[in-house]
Amino acid sequence: MSNTDTDTQMPFKTEASMFPDLYEASISELQEGLEAGYFTSVDLVKAYLARIEEVNTQGPTLRAVIETNPSILKQAADLDSERRSSGARGPLHGIPILLKDNIATLHSEGMNTTAGSLALVGAVVPRDATVAAKLRRAGALLLGKSSLSEWSNFRSEHLAPGFSGRIGQASSPYVPQGNASGSSSGSGIASAIGLAAAALGSDTDGSVVAPSSFCNVVGIRTSLGLTSRSGVVPISAHQDTIGPMCRSVKDLAILLGTIAGRDPLDPYSMEQPEIVPDYTKALKLDGLKGARLGVPRNLLQQGDVVILQAFNASLDTFRKLGATIVDPANLMSWDPKYVADIEYKVLHADFKPDLNKYLSELVEIPTGTKTLADLIAFNIAHAAQELPEPYWNDQTTFLTAENLTLDKTYYDALDALGKVRGLEWALDEYKLDALIMPTYMPGKDSLGSSTPAAIAGCPVLSVPLGFQPDSTALAEATPTRENGPLMPFGLAFMGAKYSETVLIQYAYAFEQATHARLQQRAFPEAIPKTQLIDIVGK
């Protein structure tokens, strides 16, 4: 026979192409391997469980995952069987995803939903959170619950991000004992080093985009109501959102398209357009061509010099990719102290009635903590676990919220928030498609990129931008380090309400031009060793 017979043979597959590196593996790469039969969802789950075991409470003790799903291997086997018999449901079929521990999942499968608090261990939720139910219907595997700043950082403003009574202090995979930010700390850590394919977080003001920045991943605070909050432990109906945290913009687009949409259980969600866009259609390499982007310089007057220099350098990248940069494009009436004051008056007053309503709808609470007042008392009674010295013995936000009512001060603050000439004013005034800035600028009076979006109900999407230099001083751990060599930081795109498609388009073009995430990996001890090749066939 002639040499042309080789043309009909199957191409040779290397281990690298059959078994993608789980540190960076995309949802599409995992789905391709599952479809080709190189590995199963059971294999994938076993690999992720082993990776969690390596670094979560052993080794660097990152404490990214509070608990894993005891039913997950059976669920994975069922989805493998379904794939063989009738094909995959879609891009998330058999893909393991972590959920922040304030997102409810069926009690019958064995996981708790506690917002990181021992007070809700064993509590029975009435149903899956809507976003969890949507993931299940898409065939995703709910691998476990990621850690968080307890009660989404609304127990106290004085706690280090990432602490919860259930698992302790979470920390960065890039700087030993480093600040991973919060409140969706565990979702950022886990996504950064491949403890799952991706994760969901929640964001009231910064709780997705800040840990995305600190953990070198992509994350989005969605428009208010784009993703249902039903079944999610609340802070404030006026600002709570749910968003994906992933290693790539493409993965974020896939996840967001799955969890977005109207839900009668969340009236805010009924205001969005009826049809959920296919966000993957926004993934264009030339997506920044013709974009008009503004820089709100009055938000960048103080903060980290390294981050500001990296951001300023990125403006040339945007120009090369075809964008017009309007610099400055300042927010008109932006006083950080004033905005923070009126925002927190609203959030603190919303918290008690919103949380008490959530608690009242639980089927059972073994600890009997049915109100915010009960939670305060529980923490005092269990101070060794919930209020340990010296760093975590505070619940002043709880105490403040317990003593507030929805009075004239509250309604005046709510009215004042609506009159701030901030993000939407700037977009209109300067005829912009989006604003860009560092996701978070550590420094005095800095509120970061999230606050202008949060108070307006608008989206902000963070992508990796850079890292602190090797020469950066390693800050003292009190209990976490605020800075250190190779601490990541991100760049934020802020847009008008329901402009997620546009922000994804811009973020994807920037990501693909810079590949900033890939410039550094986590510190060696924080990188799990287990790979699919260690699991398949064993």
Side-chain angles (χ1 to χ4, degrees):
M1 302 293 286
S2 71
N3 289 337
T4 56
D5 287 337
T6 60
D7 295 341
T8 62
Q9 295 177 1
M10 292 294 290
F12 175 73
K13 288 289 184 180
T14 64
E15 287 181 358
S17 60
M18 293 172 63
F19 305 122
D21 181 357
L22 294 180
Y23 183 92
E24 199 63 27
S26 69
I27 290 172
S28 296
E29 287 174 318
L30 295 174
Q31 195 60 247
E32 288 167 7
L34 290 166
E35 280 292 290
Y38 299 141
F39 51 87
T40 65
S41 289
V42 169
D43 293 328
L44 195 52
V45 165
K46 287 180 177 178
Y48 281 132
L49 291 176
R51 290 171 70 85
I52 292 169
E53 182 71 16
E54 286 183 60
V55 300
N56 198 51
T57 57
Q58 301 183 60
T61 60
L62 301 178
R63 305 188 191 280
V65 181
I66 289 181
E67 62 181 292
T68 55
N69 182 353
S71 304
I72 194 70
L73 287 172
K74 181 183 184 306
Q75 293 169 354
D78 289 344
L79 285 167
D80 283 334
S81 177
E82 181 181 323
R83 183 189 297 275
R84 290 191 295 270
S85 63
S86 56
R89 301 182 194 180
L92 290 177
H93 187 111
I95 300 295
I97 305 294
L98 284 166
L99 306 181
K100 186 176 179 179
D101 184 40
N102 62 344
I103 299 173
T105 52
L106 296 172
H107 186 263
S108 58
E109 74 180 352
M111 283 195 292
N112 292 284
T113 304
T114 69
S117 172
L118 293 167
L120 291 189
V121 172
V124 180
V125 299
R127 66 187 73 84
D128 269 336
T130 298
V131 291
K134 288 187 172 189
L135 287 174
R136 285 194 204 275
R137 286 196 294 271
L141 287 159
L142 307 187
L143 180 64
K145 295 297 182 72
S146 55
S147 63
L148 69 162
S149 309
E150 190 174 302
W151 300 104
S152 296
N153 203 36
F154 226 70
R155 195 187 87 184
S156 169
E157 300 168 31
H158 307 296
L159 296 181
F163 170 80
S164 70
R166 287 200 62 199
I167 196 168
Q169 182 65 59
S171 59
S172 167
Y174 286 88
V175 176
Q177 293 182 271
N179 178 17
S181 192
S183 65
S184 304
S185 315
S187 294
I189 298 164
S191 294
I193 57 174
L195 303 186
L200 292 190
S202 67
D203 190 308
T204 305
D205 184 347
S207 286
V208 163
V209 294
S212 293
S213 177
F214 276 74
C215 292
N216 195 32
V217 296
V218 180
I220 188 168
R221 176 206 155 76
T222 57
S223 298
L224 185 67
L226 183 71
T227 50
S228 171
R229 289 84 51 84
S230 175
V232 179
V233 182
I235 291 177
S236 166
H238 288 106
Q239 289 189 198
D240 291 347
T241 63
I242 313 301
M245 300 172 72
C246 310
R247 290 181 288 277
S248 70
V249 176
K250 182 178 180 181
D251 285 355
L252 181 145
I254 292 170
L255 266 180
L256 183 58
T258 302
I259 64 172
R262 295 180 174 181
D263 174 19
L265 296 175
D266 182 355
Y268 283 77
S269 75
M270 302 304 288
E271 299 175 8
Q272 68 181 282
E274 186 173 355
I275 304 300
V276 175
D278 178 355
Y279 295 112
T280 63
K281 291 183 178 178
L283 304 175
K284 303 172 183 177
L285 291 175
D286 64 350
L288 280 162
K289 189 175 182 179
R292 187 173 168 87
L293 308 177
V295 178
R297 284 289 166 187
N298 60 333
L299 272 61
L300 308 180
Q301 292 175 356
Q302 301 182 62
D304 188 285
V305 173
V306 170
I307 296 176
L308 188 57
Q309 287 176 342
F311 170 73
N312 288 337
S314 77
L315 299 180
D316 286 336
T317 301
F318 282 106
R319 293 184 183 102
K320 289 175 183 176
L321 293 170
T324 296
I325 303 297
V326 180
D327 184 3
N330 290 333
L331 278 58
M332 183 65 175
S333 57
W334 195 261
D335 178 337
K337 290 182 179 179
Y338 169 75
V339 173
D341 179 61
I342 57 175
E343 180 190 26
Y344 274 82
K345 283 178 180 175
V346 172
L347 299 185
H348 281 72
D350 277 343
F351 182 58
K352 181 171 70 172
D354 286 4
L355 178 62
N356 286 352
K357 180 176 184 294
Y358 173 87
L359 295 171
S360 73
E361 293 171 353
L362 295 177
V363 177
E364 180 184 350
I365 309 176
T367 62
T369 49
K370 298 181 180 180
T371 66
L372 176 57
D374 292 338
L375 293 172
I376 293 169
F378 178 92
N379 289 342
I380 294 170
H382 299 82
Q385 297 82 25
E386 286 288 352
L387 302 171
E389 301 282 355
Y391 300 114
W392 306 284
N393 58 334
D394 193 273
Q395 55 176 339
T396 51
T397 301
F398 266 17
L399 295 168
T400 299
E402 174 60 25
N403 292 312
L404 292 178
T405 59
L406 303 184
D407 57 9
K408 185 177 185 300
T409 299
Y410 166 79
Y411 287 107
D412 286 348
L414 193 61
D415 182 62
L417 274 182
K419 293 178 179 177
V420 172
R421 287 191 287 180
L423 172 58
E424 292 178 303
W425 178 89
L427 292 171
D428 182 65
E429 176 71 13
Y430 300 102
K431 298 179 173 55
L432 302 172
D433 298 306
L435 290 174
I436 53 174
M437 64 176 287
T439 305
Y440 181 74
M441 285 281 285
K444 186 176 182 292
D445 297 332
S446 175
L447 296 180
S449 62
S450 62
T451 300
I455 66 172
C458 294
V460 53
L461 192 162
S462 179
V463 296
L465 174 60
F467 303 82
Q468 294 288 341
D470 288 327
S471 59
T472 304
L474 188 63
E476 182 183 358
T478 56
T480 56
R481 306 182 195 277
E482 286 304 306
N483 209 348
L486 306 183
M487 179 74 85
F489 50 85
L491 181 144
F493 298 82
M494 300 178 282
K497 197 166 187 182
Y498 306 129
S499 66
E500 279 80 0
T501 298
V502 172
L503 299 191
I504 288 170
Q505 178 177 314
Y506 297 162
Y508 180 77
F510 181 80
E511 172 198 61
Q512 294 300 302
T514 59
H515 295 290
R517 170 174 159 77
L518 305 178
Q519 292 170 9
Q520 297 289 346
R521 286 165 72 92
F523 65 88
E525 294 81 6
I527 300 175
K529 305 296 188 295
T530 302
Q531 296 287 351
L532 280 163
I533 195 170
D534 302 313
I535 302 296
V536 175
K538 304 297 192 293

